[in-house]
């Protein structure tokens, strides 16, 4: 794993955007894996700015998001479909038909899991997956204890995840308790992974990732098994940690 240390959230967002833009320019038909949450918002802002200023085109790009809440239709402000449209897709020239997010509001969720996993395979897999990390080490919504062999599946969210995400809802009771997420094995199949880590509240998770063992009790640790992972972490997250690259 290569670790790039940056000053702060703004620099992390800028570096991450530059990284993605370079990949899109090299391969305009790239398959991008995208993440939601607080961490990538600044990165998406930078992508939009660059698109407006420099005309980087996403017309032929296909995207796959990691996860979606169960029970929220795409029109719901807290769904990840809504988030992606608002934070990125509506402001660049991407074809919305090429943006894929697991559906959280259909009857047969087991079938949706298989459909989504299959869809990624049919497109030849993800070239570059953007990831955040939960303070409990989750990636996507793969909570501690998830099998490293998991593919897209339904999860019950950890209480710590529900509490962490309550900031986006009016009340903690409104946070869905279940989600559909790409599995750990699905994520690891990506050819390349870019993990973004910002803030003191992620320091312990980053420390475990960099210096701890590979174990299903800490899902992100599996990234050590992947041959091409870049971590962009800001000072608040990295301060005082032993960083082996
Ligand atoms: P955050 O979430 O970006 O909102 O901190 C990251 C995650 O839970 O994966």
């Amino acid at each position: 794993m290569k670790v790039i240390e940056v000053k702060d959230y703004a620099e992390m967002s800028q570096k991450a955007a530059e990284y993605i833009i370079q990949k899109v320019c090299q391969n305009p038909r790239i398959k991008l894996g995208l993440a939601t949450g607080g961490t990538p918002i600044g990165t998406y802002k930078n992508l939009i700015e660059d698109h407006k200023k420099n005309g980087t085109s996403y017309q032929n790009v296909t995207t796959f998001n990691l996860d979606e809440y169960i029970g929220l239709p795409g029109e719901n402000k807290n769904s990840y479909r809504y988030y992606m449209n608002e934070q990125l897709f509506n402001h660049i020239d991407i074809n919305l038909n090429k943006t894929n997010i697991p559906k959280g509001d259909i009857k047969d969720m087991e079938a949706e899991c298989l459909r989504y996993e299959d869809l990624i395979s049919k497109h030849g897999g993800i070239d570059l997956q953007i990831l955040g990390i939960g303070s409990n080490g989750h990636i996507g919504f793969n909570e501690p204890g998830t099998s490293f062999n998991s593919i897209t599946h339904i999860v019950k969210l950890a209480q710590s995840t529900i509490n962490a995400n309550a900031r986006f809802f009016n009340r903690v009771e409104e946070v869905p308790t279940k989600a559909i997420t790409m599995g750990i094995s699905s994520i690891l199949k990506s050819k390349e992974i870019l993990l973004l880590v910002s803030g003191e509240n992620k320091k312990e998770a980053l420390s475990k990732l960099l210096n701890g063992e590979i174990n299903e009790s800490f899902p992100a640790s599996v990234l050590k098994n992947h041959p091409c992972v870049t971590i962009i972490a800001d000072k608040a997250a990295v301060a005082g940690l032993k960083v082996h690259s």
Side-chain angles (χ1 to χ4, degrees):
M1 295 191 297
K2 181 178 169 198
V3 183
I4 300 173
E5 266 186 74
V6 294
K7 196 170 63 182
D8 53 16
Y9 181 79
E11 197 182 344
M12 178 197 76
S13 303
Q14 190 196 330
K15 282 259 177 319
E18 282 167 10
Y19 198 97
I20 297 166
I21 291 161
Q22 196 198 12
K23 298 283 173 185
V24 171
C25 290
Q26 281 168 2
N27 175 11
R29 310 190 79 81
I30 193 168
K31 314 290 181 298
L32 283 180
L34 298 177
T36 51
T39 309
I41 289 179
T43 303
Y44 296 150
K45 281 206 168 82
N46 280 280
L47 293 182
I48 294 165
E49 236 168 70
D50 162 78
H51 168 71
K52 295 204 162 126
K53 217 165 107 195
N54 305 315
T56 305
S57 176
Y58 297 82
Q59 254 169 12
N60 296 310
V61 171
T62 301
T63 64
F64 294 95
N65 264 76
L66 285 166
D67 45 18
E68 179 60 283
Y69 288 118
I70 288 187
L72 301 189
E75 311 80 60
N76 185 296
K77 285 201 160 137
N78 283 305
S79 73
Y80 286 159
R81 163 52 75 185
Y82 193 92
Y83 168 109
M84 286 311 303
N85 287 353
E86 284 289 302
Q87 301 293 342
L88 181 64
F89 299 152
N90 288 346
H91 312 285
I92 57 175
D93 65 343
I94 199 158
N95 179 347
L96 276 185
N97 294 328
K98 293 188 183 209
T99 65
N100 301 288
I101 302 180
K103 293 193 174 69
D105 63 338
I106 60 174
K107 258 209 187 119
D108 191 346
M109 286 306 301
E110 291 302 330
E112 174 61 6
C113 292
L114 293 174
R115 182 196 70 87
Y116 199 69
E117 190 72 23
D118 199 42
L119 189 69
I120 299 173
S121 305
K122 277 194 181 127
H123 279 83
I126 291 168
D127 296 306
L128 172 64
Q129 174 69 55
I130 315 302
L131 280 186
I133 183 171
S135 40
N136 65 359
H138 74 201
I139 48 174
F141 270 140
N142 294 287
E143 302 288 21
T146 306
S147 164
F148 283 169
N149 294 322
S150 53
I151 57 170
T152 302
H153 63 293
I154 309 293
V155 295
K156 198 172 167 307
L157 298 178
Q159 191 58 45
S160 62
T161 300
I162 292 173
N163 295 343
N165 289 0
R167 68 192 196 276
F168 299 112
F169 293 76
N170 294 323
R171 291 178 313 135
V172 68
E173 293 76 23
E174 288 176 19
V175 184
T177 55
K178 284 181 170 177
I180 174 170
T181 183
M182 271 165 59
I184 300 216
S185 153
S186 336
I187 293 172
L188 267 249
K189 277 185 217 148
S190 310
K191 295 179 189 78
E192 189 177 351
I193 292 175
L194 180 63
L195 172 68
L196 307 180
V197 193
S198 169
E200 229 210 304
N201 62 331
K202 296 294 171 69
K203 193 167 162 169
E204 204 181 316
L206 184 60
S207 168
K208 274 195 190 164
L209 169 59
L210 296 176
N211 303 314
E213 287 176 3
I214 301 175
N215 193 301
E216 286 179 355
S217 66
F218 193 74
S221 63
V222 77
L223 297 175
K224 288 182 171 170
N225 288 338
H226 192 284
C228 195
V229 176
T230 301
I231 302 174
I232 307 182
D234 69 8
K235 271 215 162 58
V238 99
L241 298 183
K242 258 200 279 160
V243 175
H244 310 280
S245 335

